[in-house]
Amino acid sequence: MRYLLKKIMTLSVTLFLVSVAAFIAFQIIPGDVVGSILGTEATPEREEELRHELMLDRPPVERYFHWLFNVVKGNLGVSYRYSKNMNEMMPVKELIGDKLPVTLSLAALSILFIIAVSIPLGVLWARSKSRALDAALSVLTQVSMAIPAFFIGILMTYLFGIALKLFSPGAYVSYHKDFKGFITYLIFPAISIAIPKIGMTARFLRNSMLTEIKSDYVRTAYSKGCSERRVMYGHVLKNALMPVITFLGMIIAEIVAGSIVIEQVFSLPGIGRLLISSISTRDFPVVEILILYITFVVIFVYFTVDILYRVIDPRISGK
Amino acid sequence: MKIRGILKNKYLLTGAGMTFIILFAALLSVFWTPYSTTAMSISERFAAPSPRHLFGTDNFGRDIFSRVMCGIGSTVLISFMIVAISATAGILIGAFTGYFGGILDEIVMRITDAINGFPSILLALVVISILGPGRHNLIVSLGIAFVPSYVRIVRGEFIRLRDADYIMRAKLMGVSKLRILFVHILPNIFSTFWVSVMIGFNNGILAESGMSYLGIGVQPPDATLGNMLSDAQGYLTRAPWYAIAPGLTIVWIVLGFSIFSEGVRREAERKGQYDKG
């Protein structure tokens, strides 16, 4: 329990530091926000008014806490780019709202693929005594790790989209309209993200299992008369999966990052594309919120993995 | 005897061969390419690969093979610079915090922990959004993004070695702290450090091509493998080779280098360098 509290403390402190860092970083950047919203023909009075409304006339510290309070309350601020004039401000919340599920579903689907393929593959690899299979898997995983996910995406678009016509590249169905259609559009992007990670995870699991197989408890289990199946799945795999869980936790951060690039390849309207376009148009309120959001997801995942670890393996207890 | 051992190491040989071809192409591209990388030719748009144009031509009729050669040059050089920046910073920060410990160490570690959890490409995106897109900013941003991974490893090694007997003796002899750090400890962490440098190089290649693909790295008309791929995606139906050539080149570079580093690792293991620490 004390451990849990301590963890939550560090989690919030990290999040706070990231938010401060992001805020400061975007304060340094030059650029006239008001001008970009109102255009060049605006009167000085209107500019002053908007500056006042966006609180740009206040000191940074005050603005930071004002912003932070609002974020905590769920008011995420307004986008600089999509706000046309003072009466039509585009709230960041609205902008992110329907893009979030796309990225989250994409990440979830990729993780599902990674787990579903890499674990059986790793077990098969560790158990196989065939040298040909060993060599084949070794080469295959090595190659899969060397291919950038976005290139896999491009190849998939060509092979399944253009040549085999299984999906139309660039098209997308909103999850509001047709959830099944939405998922089918996510399958190929998810596979593109998953392939390099599958290679890594399968390799990792195999090495982990081969180390476990050498340990004493395996010999004991055999001498007790356990079948090979039981030793493998009941003992070795159980122990070998422990480091794999940490590894998967680490990968999840990369999957989130990977989906940003992949969204671009398949033109999926997720937060990744929003982030890229907001960066190139310097729409900082949006960038700030997205960074904070992604940081939160990443930290939260680490946190969950850490807790999960303690639940599965009682040997690790809080100091 | 020694050479025969190395020749037996298939990883080292294959990897070195693949990497050599890449480095040779990169070096050659500085002096000579089959065609000019910017010469356009309307009559030869979207020419399929042929003996005349090994990898075909692109939407402007430019020779893709020549552009890939130049692209290799920029990509490898950028990745090299990224590694140079992040590894140097990593050694300095890791050495001081690991050896001296204290509050500074605690602060630096918390920061690196926070950054380490953050995907490096995202961090680079943030830095790019502050500095603006472009080649130099790309190098700086990825250089910064990869620092924590080195800090962690170097710091760990320095902590492991700072209480070693030979360091104690060096201290007793009155050797200066700087000398202990960089003459006595640093050479001993080299084998561990080398592995992460090699991984870092590959990560640099992948990150650079990813960022350039997104259009926030090296800007056209300069060719890198990443921005070629992004251009090529628009012409996938008409000229699939335009995408395949730079893509496979990235795979070749990364694969060659990771096989090479695996070979180096095995070679070191064979010599038993790892046990000496």
Side-chain angles (χ1 to χ4, degrees), chain A residues 32-33 79 86 202 205 239 245 248 274 285:
Chain A
D32 185 25
V33 180
S79 154
M86 284 182 67
L205 176 61
N239 283 293
I245 291 174
L248 281 174
L274 182 66

Side-chain angles (χ1 to χ4, degrees), chain A residues 10 14 17-18 25-26 28-29 138-139 142-148 150-151 153-155 157-158 162 203 250 253-254 256-258 260-261 264-266 275-276 279-280 282 284 287 291 294-295 298 302, chain B residues 11 110-111 113-114 116-122 125-126 128-133 206 209-211 213-214 216 225-226 229-230 233 236-237 240 243-248 250-252 254-255 258-259 262:
Chain A
T10 45
T14 315
L17 287 179
V18 169
F26 293 124
I28 308 171
I29 312 159
S138 174
V139 170
Q142 189 77 258
V143 171
S144 80
M145 289 190 287
I147 314 180
F150 64 92
F151 183 51
I154 293 176
L155 287 180
T157 317
Y158 182 66
I162 295 173
R203 236 164 208 271
M250 275 158 62
E254 281 176 35
V256 175
I260 288 174
V261 186
Q264 204 80 3
V265 179
F266 289 90
L275 182 65
I276 301 285
I279 283 175
S280 38
R282 315 204 131 203
F284 297 122
V287 178
I291 288 172
I294 293 168
T295 316
V298 169
Y302 286 147
Chain B
Y11 281 89
R110 286 287 84 76
I111 295 174
D113 267 349
N116 229 355
F118 211 65
S120 50
I121 197 160
L122 266 182
L125 277 178
V126 175
I128 283 274
S129 68
I130 296 166
L131 299 176
L206 290 175
S209 44
M211 305 272 284
Y213 171 76
L214 292 175
I216 44 183
L225 300 171
L229 266 171
S230 132
Q233 211 191 345
L236 213 49
T237 332
I244 289 169
L248 284 186
I250 297 175
V251 177
W252 179 280
V254 175
L255 193 62
S258 61
I259 293 176
E262 174 71 14

Side-chain angles (χ1 to χ4, degrees), chain A residues 2-286:
Chain A
R2 265 193 67 184
Y3 174 79
L4 206 69
L5 276 176
K6 206 179 148 201
K7 267 280 162 188
I8 291 173
M9 273 296 290
T10 45
L11 200 153
S12 345
V13 168
T14 315
L15 215 52
F16 175 74
L17 287 179
V18 169
S19 77
V20 172
F23 193 84
I24 292 173
F26 293 124
Q27 293 305 315
I28 308 171
I29 312 159
D32 185 25
V33 180
V34 175
S36 75
I37 295 179
L38 292 177
T40 43
E41 292 135 48
T43 58
E45 291 84 53
R46 284 197 53 137
E47 284 191 358
E48 206 46 54
E49 214 179 318
L50 183 66
R51 195 162 281 141
H52 182 73
E53 198 185 307
L54 292 175
M55 295 191 68
L56 291 173
D57 51 353
R58 301 290 178 78
V61 179
E62 191 188 332
R63 255 188 308 164
Y64 171 74
F65 282 102
H66 182 81
W67 173 75
L68 188 68
F69 264 122
N70 276 319
V71 169
V72 172
K73 274 194 303 194
N75 174 10
L76 303 183
V78 290
S79 154
Y80 290 165
R81 177 167 56 129
Y82 291 99
S83 303
K84 290 202 193 68
N85 54 52
M86 284 182 67
N87 304 320
E88 293 175 59
M89 288 298 200
M90 181 67 177
V92 176
K93 204 174 183 176
E94 215 169 285
L95 209 57
I96 296 177
D98 59 336
K99 296 191 166 61
L100 209 53
V102 179
T103 306
L104 288 185
S105 322
L106 180 58
L109 206 60
S110 325
I111 295 166
L112 208 70
F113 279 138
I114 294 170
I115 294 175
V117 178
S118 65
I119 291 182
L121 197 67
V123 173
L124 176 82
W125 192 358
R127 290 191 63 180
S128 92
K129 289 173 184 77
S130 139
R131 283 193 66 173
L133 186 74
D134 182 54
L137 282 176
S138 174
V139 170
L140 214 63
T141 50
Q142 189 77 258
V143 171
S144 80
M145 289 190 287
I147 314 180
F150 64 92
F151 183 51
I152 301 180
I154 293 176
L155 287 180
M156 288 242 171
T157 317
Y158 182 66
L159 195 65
F160 297 108
I162 295 173
L164 297 175
K165 299 212 170 2
L166 287 180
F167 70 101
S168 39
Y172 162 79
V173 186
S174 168
Y175 56 96
H176 294 301
K177 284 185 204 140
D178 174 12
F179 192 72
K180 245 175 98 181
F182 169 68
I183 293 294
T184 42
Y185 274 107
L186 288 187
I187 286 179
F188 291 104
I191 293 176
S192 313
I193 299 175
I195 286 178
K197 309 294 177 205
I198 286 174
M200 286 179 201
T201 319
R203 236 164 208 271
F204 197 78
L205 176 61
R206 173 204 176 237
N207 292 341
S208 169
M209 278 185 81
L210 288 185
T211 326
E212 290 296 329
I213 284 175
K214 287 189 200 125
S215 35
D216 289 341
Y217 71 84
V218 174
R219 201 188 45 207
T220 315
Y222 274 124
S223 62
K224 274 195 329 192
C226 285
S227 66
E228 202 206 326
R229 262 189 98 79
R230 211 185 128 74
V231 175
M232 276 296 169
Y233 294 105
H235 297 269
V236 174
L237 185 60
K238 215 166 137 190
N239 283 293
L241 273 179
M242 300 298 298
V244 176
I245 291 174
T246 319
F247 185 71
L248 281 174
M250 275 158 62
I251 286 186
I252 285 173
E254 281 176 35
I255 290 171
V256 175
S259 61
I260 288 174
V261 186
I262 287 297
E263 278 168 19
Q264 204 80 3
V265 179
F266 289 90
S267 11
L268 294 172
I271 57 167
R273 282 186 87 199
L274 182 66
L275 182 65
I276 301 285
S277 64
S278 301
I279 283 175
S280 38
T281 53
R282 315 204 131 203
D283 192 355
F284 297 122
V286 180

Side-chain angles (χ1 to χ4, degrees), chain B residues 4-145:
Chain B
R4 250 173 82 192
I6 289 175
L7 284 179
K8 265 191 185 166
N9 190 334
K10 277 186 217 147
Y11 281 89
L12 198 64
L13 227 56
T14 326
M18 288 173 81
T19 310
F20 177 77
I21 293 173
I22 286 299
L23 292 181
F24 182 72
L27 207 63
L28 189 63
S29 75
V30 178
F31 305 105
W32 177 83
T33 48
Y35 294 87
S36 157
T37 52
T38 47
M40 304 183 192
S41 154
I42 304 294
S43 58
E44 281 189 304
R45 291 176 73 202
F46 300 121
S50 64
R52 208 171 128 74
H53 293 286
L54 272 181
F55 290 169
T57 59
D58 66 5
N59 50 323
F60 294 120
R62 295 176 295 194
D63 180 49
I64 294 177
F65 186 74
S66 309
R67 287 179 67 76
V68 165
M69 273 174 73
C70 277
I72 292 172
S74 338
T75 303
V76 169
L77 188 67
I78 289 173
S79 187
F80 183 78
M81 308 262 275
I82 293 168
V83 169
I85 292 176
S86 49
T88 313
I91 286 184
L92 288 177
I93 299 174
F96 281 105
T97 54
Y99 187 75
F100 294 112
I103 295 176
L104 192 71
D105 175 45
E106 193 62 32
I107 295 170
V108 171
M109 269 333 272
R110 286 287 84 76
I111 295 174
T112 45
D113 267 349
I115 300 179
N116 229 355
F118 211 65
S120 50
I121 197 160
L122 266 182
L123 191 72
L125 277 178
V126 175
V127 181
I128 283 274
S129 68
I130 296 166
L131 299 176
R135 179 190 295 255
H136 301 293
N137 293 347
L138 176 79
I139 294 174
V140 172
S141 63
L142 284 173
I144 295 173

